[in-house]
């Protein structure tokens, strides 16, 4: 990771251990301190990693959260948004060949509840395309791309 130097350049690289084969990273303020934190999807294991901003251009050590009940989800892609409507950021992953979407509900204090998995059907690898309010009801929806056919829209419910 490179932090900006406020002069149009970057400082020296800083490395953080996040897990096996990090695939996707997303930023969001998970603990309500006004600073972006990081969530990382790890492709080679069944965990996401969360790093909270620790001040002075540094992050805490990664905390791992199991990504699936079955422990074999291989997170391919990840996004951050309030998908459960409780005004805190959640982490959503699409779990590759497992054909599932996992939602890690944020607590607002920088921690996350156990993943809740939703089956998106059998087939080849799935990827998270987007989170957005597609039907105008004020609730985030999940768009999933499947390598073997048409995509899938999962409408959020209140």
């Amino acid at each position: 990771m490179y932090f900006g130097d406020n002069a149009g350049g970057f400082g020296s690289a800083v490395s953080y251990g996040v897990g096996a084969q990090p695939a996707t990273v997303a930023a969001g303020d998970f603990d309500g301190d006004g600073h972006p934190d990081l969530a990382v999807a790890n492709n080679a294991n069944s965990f996401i990693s969360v790093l909270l901003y620790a001040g002075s251009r540094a992050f805490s050590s990664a905390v791992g959260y199991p990504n699936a009940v079955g422990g074999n989800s291989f997170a391919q892609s990840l996004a951050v948004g309030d998908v459960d409507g409780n005004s805190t950021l959640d982490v959503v992953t699409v779990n590759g060949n497992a054909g599932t979407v996992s939602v890690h509900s944020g607590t607002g204090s920088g921690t996350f509840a156990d993943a809740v998995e939703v089956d998106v059907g059998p087939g080849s690898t799935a990827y998270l395309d987007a989170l957005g309010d597609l039907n105008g009801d004020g609730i985030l929806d999940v768009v999933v791309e499947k390598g073997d056919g048409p995509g899938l829209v999962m409408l959020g419910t209140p």
Side-chain angles (χ1 to χ4, degrees):
M1 168 179 318
Y2 295 90
F3 287 95
D5 65 6
N6 295 324
F10 294 93
S12 300
V14 179
S15 296
Y16 293 93
V18 294
Q21 295 180 357
T24 307
V25 64
D29 185 4
F30 303 132
D31 58 5
D33 67 357
H35 297 283
D37 307 304
L38 303 174
V40 180
N42 296 304
N43 191 23
N45 64 19
S46 299
F47 283 83
I48 62 165
S49 300
V50 175
L51 297 89
L52 300 178
Y53 183 73
S56 300
R57 296 182 172 208
F59 289 90
S60 65
S61 295
V63 175
Y65 291 90
N67 196 43
V69 175
N72 195 20
S73 65
F74 305 106
Q76 296 281 345
S77 48
L78 167 145
V80 172
D82 180 16
V83 297
D84 61 8
N86 68 353
S87 300
T88 62
L89 291 178
D90 309 309
V91 175
V92 179
T93 62
V94 172
N95 305 314
N97 293 330
T100 62
V101 170
S102 293
V103 176
H104 303 265
S105 183
T107 64
S109 65
T111 61
F112 294 85
D114 290 341
V116 174
E117 277 188 290
V118 178
D119 188 7
V120 296
S124 62
T125 303
Y127 297 95
L128 182 67
D129 277 343
L131 296 179
D133 182 9
L134 301 177
N135 59 354
D137 64 359
I139 300 169
L140 287 179
D141 307 308
V142 179
V143 180
V144 177
E145 173 187 352
K146 294 188 70 176
D148 64 343
L152 173 69
V153 175
M154 301 170 69
L155 296 176
T157 57

